[in-house]
Amino acid sequence: VEVSTYKIIAVSSGEASLSDASSKYKRQSVKKETGYPAFLELYGGMTMYDYTGDYDEFLGSKSKKIEEEMDSGYMLGIRYINTGIGFLTMGWEFNYTSQEADSIITEIDTFQISWIPIIRIPIWTYADIIPDYTNIYAGYALGAGINNVTYKDIDDEKSSKGIGFCSSFIAGLKLGFTDSIAVFGEFRYTPDFLNRYWRKQDIDGDTTVSDEYLSGPSFYAGLSFAP
């Protein structure tokens, strides 16, 4: 092209093979940016919790500890994950769990809201064949909640509500499906520490205070949406 007049003087074209490159690094594709949008996630699955309760007075005794293996229950939840670049991000979740047992404690319903710091490994940035936003991750949920416990008082069935704090370790795999939708599977473990609920309970005309918690694993899956 002649600069002063923009006149095209000559045109040519050609082809080159990748094997002709002088360095193997010039043949590599550009690594994708490790940026994530915000995600709204819906999930549900199975819980397998055990119950432990310390009662300050139980049927005339000064104190009693009750340990029960609950039946398999279920969990439903909604979570918001912040935008982020790199490995660390944070989110908030609200979930509901329900457990049943055929003993003194017959049913426990729990509502929890938690803050979750999360570490994500963006495996989708290292291989072109892996869908965008595919990653493995781990985090720890810290929050507070209320529970509603249904129990047997001699021949009657009663219920009472409690309040407390909760925590659980989570780990999972998220697989990108489209530019805005992903699916994920997740494992959660609720330990016996940093998990406590307190409530009052009537037993044979007397009132006792319980210090209780649920512990054990849960497994669930969900959908993740990027608005």
Side-chain angles (χ1 to χ4, degrees):
V1 177
E2 189 178 70
V3 177
S4 59
T5 63
Y6 300 104
K7 180 180 178 181
I8 297 175
I9 304 301
V11 177
S12 64
S13 64
E15 295 183 357
S17 172
L18 285 175
S19 60
D20 295 334
S22 59
S23 170
K24 65 178 181 179
Y25 298 105
K26 294 181 180 179
R27 299 196 298 269
Q28 292 182 348
S29 60
V30 178
K31 180 182 173 183
K32 298 177 183 178
E33 183 184 5
T34 58
Y36 298 86
F39 290 102
L40 181 65
E41 300 180 342
L42 304 174
Y43 58 88
M46 180 178 64
T47 59
M48 296 181 291
Y49 293 149
D50 294 330
Y51 171 84
T52 300
D54 289 318
Y55 294 80
D56 63 358
E57 185 176 348
F58 198 90
L59 295 177
S61 63
K62 291 185 178 180
S63 63
K64 184 178 179 63
K65 185 174 184 178
I66 297 176
E67 296 180 337
E68 295 184 359
E69 184 175 338
M70 309 289 288
D71 297 335
S72 296
Y74 64 90
M75 172 187 290
L76 300 173
I78 183 170
R79 180 188 300 153
Y80 177 79
I81 304 296
N82 294 338
T83 59
I85 297 177
F87 293 95
L88 181 63
T89 189
M90 299 177 187
W92 290 89
E93 73 171 5
F94 172 81
N95 62 48
Y96 163 75
T97 63
S98 181
Q99 298 280 146
E100 294 184 357
D102 187 16
S103 56
I104 296 174
I105 302 297
T106 60
E107 185 176 357
I108 301 179
D109 298 315
T110 307
F111 302 86
Q112 299 175 337
I113 184 169
S114 302
W115 169 72
I116 316 173
I118 301 171
I119 296 177
R120 298 182 288 194
I121 299 178
I123 57 179
W124 59 279
T125 65
Y126 299 100
D128 291 336
I129 63 173
I130 297 178
D132 287 356
Y133 310 133
T134 297
N135 64 91
I136 56 177
Y137 58 91
Y140 203 85
L142 297 165
I146 59 174
N147 66 355
N148 183 75
V149 179
T150 303
Y151 60 92
K152 293 179 181 178
D153 181 11
I154 312 300
D155 295 327
D156 297 329
E157 191 170 73
K158 298 180 180 180
S159 65
S160 63
K161 292 180 173 59
I163 189 170
F165 57 87
C166 56
S167 73
S168 55
F169 167 78
I170 62 174
L173 169 65
K174 178 182 288 186
L175 179 65
F177 189 67
T178 69
D179 290 341
S180 59
I181 298 177
V183 295
F184 64 93
E186 197 165 288
F187 165 79
R188 179 187 298 252
Y189 187 82
T190 301
D192 56 4
F193 61 92
L194 293 180
N195 283 284
R196 285 293 186 275
Y197 286 84
W198 294 271
R199 64 183 176 85
K200 292 182 177 181
Q201 178 173 316
D202 293 330
I203 300 179
D204 196 21
D206 296 325
T207 299
T208 182
V209 176
S210 68
D211 171 1
E212 59 193 0
Y213 59 88
L214 293 173
S215 61
S218 55
F219 306 88
Y220 45 90
L223 287 173
S224 184
F225 304 93

